[in-house]
Amino acid sequence: MKYLIFDFDGTLANSIKALITAWNTIAQKYQLKELEFKDIAVLKKLSLTERSKFLNLPLHKVPVILPQFYQLYHQSLQHIHLFDGIKEVLLELEQKGYHIVIISSHAKDTILAFLNINGIQCVAEVLCSNPFAGKDKVLKKFLKAASMPSSDILYIGDELRDIIACQKAGIPIIWVAWGYDAKEAIQHIAPDYQAAAPRDILTIIDNA
């Protein structure tokens, strides 16, 4: 493997507080269910349809509400923090010679500012995806631009949609257990690898 592609929210960055703050602003505007921190554990185990019901969010309103949510979410940099141990993992991977890439629906400038604040200079590239288009399109475009086989890339992400996108693009994935989707939400679709803690990523990559 030459390239390691990391998801941002829920994999590298703990952005739960930013998510709740942004969502509750939207919820007040549209009379949806507001979130508390205890609700996150429940949401992690639910499918997308079940989450919509939990939040009292009709699916037909999603295209209207989500862009507003992401706009507020992107403005909440002060509420986003690295997961414990992630910075050390990134530095060790850089020392081993891997090219580290981030893919996210966050704005590129937001991620670059976040990396700078946290003293991370080992990220070679930041790819931005449309939250409605699917990450598989970005991954396929990256493969084509880099002119490399999918076996040269490993993806690290925390959500069901990450697993689905990687399977569509033919890229192996490490699913991480500390992110937005609990094991119950992804158990029907098998990721290639599973990491219970950040340092498990190093072990998996060393043995892959």
Side-chain angles (χ1 to χ4, degrees), residues 134-183:
K135 290 183 178 179
D136 59 293
K137 294 180 176 60
V138 179
L139 292 172
K140 289 175 182 177
K141 185 177 180 180
F142 178 78
L143 280 173
K144 185 176 181 180
S147 298
M148 67 175 66
S150 58
S151 58
D152 283 352
I153 296 176
L154 181 64
Y155 187 99
I156 301 97
D158 66 304
E159 294 183 84
L160 174 64
R161 62 176 179 167
D162 294 323
I163 301 172
I164 293 172
C166 285
Q167 290 183 349
K168 288 181 178 179
I171 294 172
I173 179 173
I174 299 174
W175 171 77
V176 302
W178 55 86
Y180 285 144
D181 283 355
K183 196 165 187 176

Side-chain angles (χ1 to χ4, degrees), residues 45-207:
K45 300 176 182 179
L46 303 180
S47 67
L48 183 59
T49 302
E50 291 169 336
R51 289 176 186 179
S52 295
K53 291 180 180 178
F54 183 87
L55 297 167
N56 297 327
L57 172 61
L59 288 175
H60 71 271
K61 288 187 177 181
V62 170
V64 174
I65 290 175
L66 274 193
Q68 298 177 55
F69 166 73
Y70 276 109
Q71 185 177 11
L72 291 168
Y73 192 34
H74 293 166
Q75 296 169 1
S76 303
L77 188 61
Q78 73 274 18
H79 296 314
I80 303 175
H81 307 280
L82 284 171
F83 283 106
D84 290 342
I86 281 293
K87 184 175 182 178
E88 292 76 12
V89 167
L90 292 176
L91 292 175
E92 286 193 42
L93 291 171
E94 181 194 31
Q95 291 170 1
K96 291 175 181 289
Y98 293 104
H99 296 277
I100 298 171
V101 177
I102 291 175
I103 183 171
S104 175
S105 56
H106 260 301
K108 185 174 182 178
D109 290 346
T110 301
I111 295 175
L112 292 175
F114 177 85
L115 295 175
N116 184 57
I117 289 170
N118 287 277
I120 296 174
Q121 287 87 38
C122 58
V123 175
E125 190 172 356
V126 175
L127 306 173
C128 293
S129 65
N130 184 317
F132 302 105
K135 290 183 178 179
D136 59 293
K137 294 180 176 60
V138 179
L139 292 172
K140 289 175 182 177
K141 185 177 180 180
F142 178 78
L143 280 173
K144 185 176 181 180
S147 298
M148 67 175 66
S150 58
S151 58
D152 283 352
I153 296 176
L154 181 64
Y155 187 99
I156 301 97
D158 66 304
E159 294 183 84
L160 174 64
R161 62 176 179 167
D162 294 323
I163 301 172
I164 293 172
C166 285
Q167 290 183 349
K168 288 181 178 179
I171 294 172
I173 179 173
I174 299 174
W175 171 77
V176 302
W178 55 86
Y180 285 144
D181 283 355
K183 196 165 187 176
E184 290 86 345
I186 62 100
Q187 61 186 355
H188 65 287
I189 183 169
D192 300 277
Y193 309 97
Q194 298 185 32
R199 292 204 66 83
D200 291 344
I201 294 172
L202 296 172
T203 303
I204 292 168
I205 291 172
D206 285 344
N207 295 318

